[in-house]
Amino acid sequence: MDSKDVINSILENNTEEKDTRTTIVNKDIEVETDLGTLLALDYNSLDLKAIKSQPEEYLKNLTRDNVQILINKIWELPTERIDEVIVAKLPKQTFILPRSRQIPKPKPLTKWQQFAKEKGIRSKKKSKSKLKWDEVLQKWIPTFGYKRNKAIEQKEWLVEVNDEGKAMEDPFTAAKIAKEERKSKNELQRLHNIAKTKNIKIPKVGLPTKEHFSDSQQLSQAVTIARTSTASLGKFQDRLPKEKDAKGIAKQVPGMKRKAEEIPKNLQEEKKRNTNLADSILKSNTKILREDFSVPKTKPVKANNKKSKKGTKAKGAKKPKAGKGQRNMRLKVGGRKRR
């Protein structure tokens, strides 16, 4: 039976069902379709009254009609049968969809992959099966991933020790430490490969070279900063032989003592230093005095221009209060005259 005959029989069976809706959809403006991306663009105007009264039913019917038009276009394409499944060959897309992210760049080759490519070495393809038959346990165990460690513990529950010096050591802890060292070595090699692809210079033996510190001052600064980067700010850190603190980085390194300025030798040097300090303060835009520490504002007292006549008291004048028995012995000389 040909694939076209199968398609026609499917369409005939669908028409015999109770659903009265047909596969033919009529539109005022023809729906634009792009079968390469399975896209349908409907430019017809919407019925606002139907949207307000019955929004769900209207949207369902509109979606059903547009999908039906797209499926009708797909049935018109050339088809073939692959493994008892009818497949339609989609044409090339005409509508370009924008990407939300950049196109992924190809991963750079590792050191081994580049060497194998130059020498023509082909890696053997691993078997698709994850399980492997173990003769010791007499069962299938995973070669990697889940339950792999448990199978190794069941298999290697006893370790033979030939050397007498290693008899007191724990072979399981030694194997665990060796595994951690291999993992750290592989991680270091991975970082080396990343740095090599990005053309980043790194030290070969873990120590800085002349390429990183062209000047001796830069090297001394790096040593000082590394020594003071501990929790105690380098207080309990041992110094290297003939090591001295770098100059000019006391502000950058916390807890580092700053050297006091030298005392001016003569009056001219002191005068010059003070004038430079005053010039730097006056040139800066920062406020020297804070507003809250300034002198409090006082209201000016209005002078009374009207001259008071003799014998008449000025308005608002008060009688001066007495000393209330307080005497200032420093102002008065002598005491009360007695008869």
Side-chain angles (χ1 to χ4, degrees):
M1 196 176 195
D2 193 10
S3 60
K4 289 184 179 181
D5 298 335
V6 175
I7 293 167
N8 294 327
S9 63
I10 291 169
L11 294 173
E12 288 174 1
N13 293 329
N14 289 334
T15 54
E16 292 175 358
E17 292 179 356
K18 294 180 181 180
D19 193 356
T20 56
R21 290 180 294 185
T22 60
T23 58
I24 300 169
V25 180
N26 296 320
K27 293 274 186 178
D28 297 335
I29 302 172
E30 189 177 356
V31 177
E32 185 180 348
T33 57
D34 181 14
L35 298 178
T37 54
L38 299 177
L39 178 67
L41 300 173
D42 190 0
Y43 298 107
N44 291 280
S45 60
L46 300 174
D47 190 356
L48 298 177
K49 292 183 179 179
I51 291 174
K52 290 180 181 180
S53 60
Q54 295 177 344
E56 292 185 2
E57 292 183 4
Y58 178 76
L59 291 175
K60 284 181 181 178
N61 294 329
L62 182 64
T63 306
R64 183 261 169 197
D65 292 342
N66 291 334
V67 172
Q68 185 64 56
I69 292 169
L70 188 64
I71 291 171
N72 292 341
K73 294 284 185 180
I74 292 171
W75 285 120
E76 294 175 3
L77 295 173
T79 56
E80 60 180 353
R81 179 174 287 185
I82 300 173
D83 296 334
E84 298 182 359
V85 177
I86 299 171
V87 179
K89 292 183 180 179
L90 298 178
K92 291 183 179 180
Q93 62 181 19
T94 57
F95 188 85
I96 299 172
L97 294 173
R99 291 181 62 90
S100 60
R101 297 179 182 178
Q102 293 181 355
I103 299 172
K105 296 178 181 178
K107 291 184 179 180
L109 298 175
T110 61
K111 196 174 181 181
W112 163 250
Q113 288 175 350
Q114 191 174 0
F115 175 77
K117 187 177 179 181
E118 292 174 357
K119 299 295 181 181
I121 301 171
R122 294 183 179 179
S123 59
K124 295 180 180 178
K125 292 183 179 180
K126 295 181 180 180
S127 59
K128 294 182 180 180
S129 178
K130 185 181 175 181
L131 300 176
K132 184 180 178 181
W133 178 258
D134 196 320
E135 296 292 340
V136 178
L137 298 176
Q138 292 295 315
K139 64 178 183 179
W140 294 93
I141 62 171
T143 55
F144 59 90
Y146 181 61
K147 293 184 179 180
R148 168 69 177 169
N149 292 333
K150 290 184 178 180
I152 292 172
E153 289 177 1
Q154 293 176 3
K155 184 179 178 181
E156 298 178 356
W157 61 275
L158 181 65
V159 180
E160 184 179 355
V161 179
N162 296 326
D163 193 359
E164 294 180 358
K166 295 182 180 180
M168 300 299 293
E169 296 179 0
D170 189 1
F172 297 103
T173 55
K176 191 175 181 180
I177 292 168
K179 184 180 179 181
E180 293 294 330
E181 288 178 356
R182 288 195 301 271
K183 286 171 67 177
S184 60
K185 185 179 178 182
N186 293 335
E187 181 65 18
L188 181 63
Q189 188 61 41
R190 186 182 71 83
L191 296 175
H192 272 282
N193 292 335
I194 294 170
K196 189 177 179 181
T197 53
K198 294 184 178 181
N199 295 325
I200 299 172
K201 293 181 180 179
I202 55 174
K204 295 182 180 179
V205 198
L207 297 173
T209 58
K210 292 182 179 180
E211 296 175 354
H212 297 81
F213 304 104
S214 57
D215 189 7
S216 60
Q217 181 67 18
Q218 294 179 358
L219 182 60
S220 62
Q221 288 179 2
V223 172
T224 305
I225 292 169
R227 183 173 52 79
T228 56
S229 62
T230 57
S232 61
L233 300 176
K235 186 177 180 181
F236 304 103
Q237 188 72 19
D238 297 333
R239 288 176 177 266
L240 297 172
K242 298 181 181 181
E243 181 187 349
K244 294 181 180 179
D245 291 335
K247 296 179 181 179
I249 59 168
K251 294 181 180 179
Q252 301 174 8
V253 180
M256 189 174 177
K257 293 182 180 179
R258 301 179 186 177
K259 291 184 179 180
E261 294 183 357
E262 295 180 358
I263 300 170
K265 296 177 181 179
N266 48 30
L267 292 173
Q268 293 179 355
E269 189 177 348
E270 185 178 1
K271 185 179 179 181
K272 188 178 180 181
R273 187 180 295 179
N274 292 334
T275 52
N276 291 335
L277 179 61
D279 291 339
S280 63
I281 291 170
L282 293 173
K283 286 179 182 178
S284 63
N285 296 325
T286 56
K287 292 183 179 180
I288 300 169
L289 296 175
R290 287 170 54 186
E291 293 179 357
D292 52 353
F293 285 103
S294 61
V295 180
K297 296 178 181 179
T298 56
K299 294 181 180 179
V301 179
K302 293 181 180 179
N304 193 2
N305 295 328
K306 294 181 180 179
K307 296 180 180 179
S308 60
K309 296 179 181 180
K310 291 181 180 180
T312 58
K313 294 181 180 180
K315 291 182 179 180
K318 292 183 180 180
K319 186 179 180 180
K321 292 181 180 180
K324 295 183 180 180
Q326 295 180 1
R327 292 181 182 179
N328 195 344
M329 303 304 293
R330 294 180 182 177
L331 299 176
K332 292 185 178 182
V333 180
R336 182 181 175 187
K337 290 183 180 181
R338 296 180 182 273
R339 291 180 183 178

